[in-house]
Amino acid sequence: MSYTLSLGRRVRLADVASTAAASAPVAIDDAVRTRVQASRGTLEKFVAEERVIYGVNTSMGGFVNWLVPIPQARQLQENLLNAVATNVGNHLDDTTVRAIMMSRIVSLSRGNSAISIGNLDKLIAIHNSGVIPCVPEKGSLGTSGDLGPLAAIALVCIGQGKARLGGEVLPGAEALRRVGIEPMELSFKEGLALINGTSGMVGLGSLNIGRARRLLRTYLLVSALSVEGLAGKTKPFDPRVHKLKPHKGQQEVAQFLWDTLADSTLAVEELDVEHLLSGEMGDTAKAGSQSIEDAYSIRCTPQILGPVVDSLASIEQTVEDELNSSNDNPLIDPDEAEVFHNGHFHGQYVAMAMDHLAIALTTLMNLANRRIDRYLDENNSNGLPPFLCRENPGLRLGLMGGQFMTASLTAETRAKSMPISIQSLTSTGDFQDIVSFGFVSARRAAEVLDNVAHVVAFELLCACQAVDIRGTEGLSPATRRLYEQVREVVPYLDHDVTITDYVEELARRLLAEPGLG
């Protein structure tokens, strides 16, 4: 099913992600076509009036003060694409490239970029054709837009660069020939319109946010299962106490855990512990048989995951606002009949949002890491065997080795969470003198997300091993469904095996749609 862009209708990040994942076609309605044509007509009028406009009859970047006659417009625009297509490294996958292309189409369809309707139609046709431009992943400043990634796409549109078609890497011109699309012929401003925007970081960001939402949704259920697996107490999740601290995310997490664990007999009633300890009270101080409170990694789950919930909502709002923006320079507004030289291409909003996403995900990972340690340490697991190894301990090592992997990924991910959005360096003869690195931030957030999914996968594996040891009959209905989904992939481990394939499959399912849970 195709996705049709309409004026005045907000495009959701989920629309971009689902369209890209399904390789679904995109279309524009008549109102969009009229608006795009009006913007182009307004610019053509300004050109006829001999107004001096950046990227139209001037050069660009560090050559901003050079004037370029209109008859040389096509050469100028093609030179721009070739000059800035300097990204290096591995090529982005097909889904990411489609998400970037759709994000650019969304922005151009707002009708303020003065691209011709013919070339917008060709960009849409290329998106829908199965041609995937080869986009190297590293090298974008994320400030005059994602120039490098978007130029790699635009070069294919004019019959240059490289593209994949049916798994084969081809010259751009040959890829277009095979799908029956004539290359674009660029006029004034059109190369700039194709690349001078934040659509690279927005496209990748939309995929990150969708995957992060799926992971977080399942992780709330994993958290409930870990409360059961570690024989945690439920009263700290009582919604009555969370009314006393009015953070929305915290209250949502607490309510979820309270409701989910209502029918569990593996989770512990605090009053039962209180009665037990009261009976142990004597005339002298002594250690009780149990603790009245759990460690923070259980008890403080709402206070730790609540900020993650709230942060993700804010991040999604920010990136979705950017998606639904005109984010190139200059902008030609047909309603105002005016050209605006501006800085809408600057990616600071998205750069900071992706840095915040990495920090939020690392917070979630820190929680998973601490719970894993409690599962494997017999001194902190409320009665579980060391390393969850019930059968033949000592001869077997149980799940000991899994913590090596999670500790390594946790350390690596913490290092990746250092904000890139504050690492500005000047370039272009000090013209681009403060930059966002938004595409780098989005790419790193994707790496963080993958790492975190593997750590959560191992916590989930531990949780299922623990509840098998304690007795699965005490699971709540919701956690039982999760447990059964895991057991479709991972058996109860009563002998030592290599668990890499199990962990990787669980991580894949945690990020997939519909995924676990």
Side-chain angles (χ1 to χ4, degrees):
M1 181 178 293
S2 65
Y3 186 92
T4 301
L5 298 168
S6 303
L7 280 181
R9 188 174 77 185
R10 186 175 177 87
V11 181
R12 302 294 179 183
L13 295 184
D15 299 331
V16 174
S18 61
T19 299
S23 191
V26 177
I28 55 175
D29 67 11
D30 290 341
V32 170
R33 303 183 72 82
T34 299
R35 173 79 184 192
V36 169
Q37 289 171 315
S39 180
R40 185 66 186 177
T42 302
L43 179 58
E44 290 172 346
K45 176 177 178 293
F46 294 158
V47 169
E49 295 169 352
E50 299 185 344
R51 293 184 63 172
V52 177
I53 301 171
Y54 177 81
V56 175
N57 47 19
T58 79
S59 190
M60 288 158 281
F63 284 119
V64 63
N65 58 320
W66 286 68
L67 303 176
V68 180
I70 289 296
Q72 295 178 318
R74 178 175 178 178
Q75 187 64 60
L76 175 65
Q77 299 301 310
E78 291 188 4
N79 287 346
L80 168 67
L81 301 188
N82 281 283
V84 303
T86 54
N87 267 33
V88 296
N90 295 328
H91 292 164
L92 299 174
D93 64 88
D94 291 7
T95 299
T96 300
V97 175
R98 285 193 293 265
I100 291 171
M101 292 179 73
M102 181 174 175
S103 296
R104 195 76 210 124
I105 291 166
V106 171
S107 182
L108 295 175
S109 295
R110 296 182 61 80
N112 298 307
S113 300
I115 193 170
S116 65
I117 191 64
N119 279 336
L120 178 57
D121 282 339
K122 286 187 176 181
L123 178 60
I124 294 170
I126 293 168
H127 171 278
N128 295 345
S129 70
V131 170
I132 304 293
C134 294
V135 182
E137 65 179 0
K138 296 182 179 180
S140 178
L141 293 178
T143 298
S144 254
D146 288 310
L147 296 178
L150 293 176
I153 294 170
L155 282 173
V156 173
C157 294
I158 65 171
Q160 298 182 33
K162 293 186 293 184
R164 296 189 295 273
L165 181 63
E168 185 180 0
V169 176
L170 302 166
E174 174 61 15
L176 294 185
R177 186 193 68 78
R178 291 192 186 184
V179 296
I181 299 174
E182 288 292 321
M184 294 180 184
E185 293 185 8
L186 301 179
S187 184
F188 46 82
K189 209 303 190 161
E190 293 195 284
L192 199 58
L194 288 170
I195 69 171
N196 191 214
T198 56
S199 303
M201 63 186 84
V202 168
L204 181 50
S206 69
L207 299 178
N208 288 345
I209 290 167
R211 295 169 80 212
R213 279 214 167 276
R214 291 192 286 276
L215 178 62
L216 178 57
R217 181 174 64 241
T218 304
Y219 194 62
L220 294 179
L221 196 53
V222 174
S223 294
L225 185 60
S226 277
V227 173
E228 293 176 306
L230 290 167
K233 301 168 187 65
T234 58
K235 191 171 182 180
F237 312 134
D238 190 324
R240 293 175 296 177
V241 72
H242 290 276
K243 290 179 181 178
L244 306 180
K245 194 173 185 185
H247 292 300
K248 182 179 179 182
Q250 175 182 322
Q251 292 178 347
E252 289 178 0
V253 173
Q255 187 73 58
F256 177 87
L257 293 173
W258 183 255
D259 293 343
T260 301
L261 294 169
D263 296 324
S264 173
T265 58
L266 286 178
V268 175
E269 290 280 354
E270 184 179 306
L271 190 59
D272 293 341
V273 177
E274 185 178 337
H275 287 157
L276 174 66
L277 294 176
S278 178
E280 296 175 2
M281 194 72 68
D283 297 330
T284 60
K286 63 179 180 180
S289 60
Q290 295 189 42
S291 172
I292 193 63
E293 289 187 336
D294 292 320
Y296 292 1
S297 56
I298 297 298
R299 176 164 39 112
C300 297
T301 297
Q303 292 84 352
I304 296 167
L305 291 184
V308 177
V309 170
D310 288 338
S311 292
L312 190 53
S314 175
I315 291 163
E316 183 169 12
Q317 177 73 37
T318 295
V319 178
E320 194 167 279
D321 285 347
E322 190 74 26
L323 171 66
N324 288 277
S325 71
S326 297
N327 48 66
D328 51 294
N329 171 58
L331 291 171
I332 291 82
D333 184 343
D335 293 336
E336 299 294 335
E338 188 54 279
V339 56
F340 294 97
H341 292 105
N342 71 88
H344 282 9
F345 49 68
H346 202 289
Q348 197 69 27
Y349 266 112
V350 182
M352 293 177 66
M354 290 295 102
D355 279 350
H356 292 159
L357 180 59
I359 291 168
L361 290 167
T362 304
T363 299
L364 185 155
M365 180 200 63
N366 283 337
L367 183 58
N369 176 274
R370 290 296 79 220
R371 291 179 184 161
I372 288 166
D373 188 64
R374 303 196 78 78
Y375 275 122
L376 301 183
D377 184 349
E378 63 177 324
N379 298 306
N380 292 317
S381 64
N382 284 331
L384 294 170
F387 307 109
L388 297 174
C389 182
R390 181 170 59 180
E391 295 82 10
N392 299 315
L395 178 62
R396 293 180 52 227
L397 303 185
L399 293 177
M400 183 189 302
Q403 193 171 25
F404 305 163
M405 175 271 295
T406 58
S408 177
L409 289 183
T410 299
E412 176 186 329
T413 304
R414 288 173 179 173
K416 288 180 181 293
S417 295
M418 174 67 180
I420 194 69
S421 58
I422 61 172
Q423 305 295 336
S424 179
L425 292 170
T426 189
S427 71
T428 324
D430 223 26
F431 185 64
Q432 298 182 44
D433 60 345
I434 181 165
V435 300
S436 78
F437 294 118
F439 194 82
V440 181
S441 182
R443 179 168 52 79
R444 290 204 326 175
E447 295 170 2
V448 165
L449 184 58
D450 186 66
N451 285 352
V452 173
H454 284 83
V455 175
V456 170
F458 187 66
E459 180 191 344
L460 180 53
L461 191 155
C462 289
C464 291
Q465 186 81 357
V467 298
D468 268 322
I469 292 169
R470 293 194 190 277
T472 58
E473 63 277 3
L475 287 169
S476 76
T479 56
R480 175 171 292 281
R481 285 192 296 273
L482 178 60
Y483 165 83
E484 290 172 349
Q485 288 177 313
V486 173
R487 284 289 172 253
E488 294 173 3
V489 179
V490 187
Y492 173 75
L493 298 175
D494 59 3
H495 61 286
D496 285 354
V497 295
T498 301
I499 64 169
T500 297
D501 289 347
Y502 293 147
V503 172
E504 290 187 342
E505 178 60 18
L506 288 178
R508 187 193 68 77
R509 294 189 181 203
L510 284 165
L511 298 175
E513 186 65 61
L516 294 169

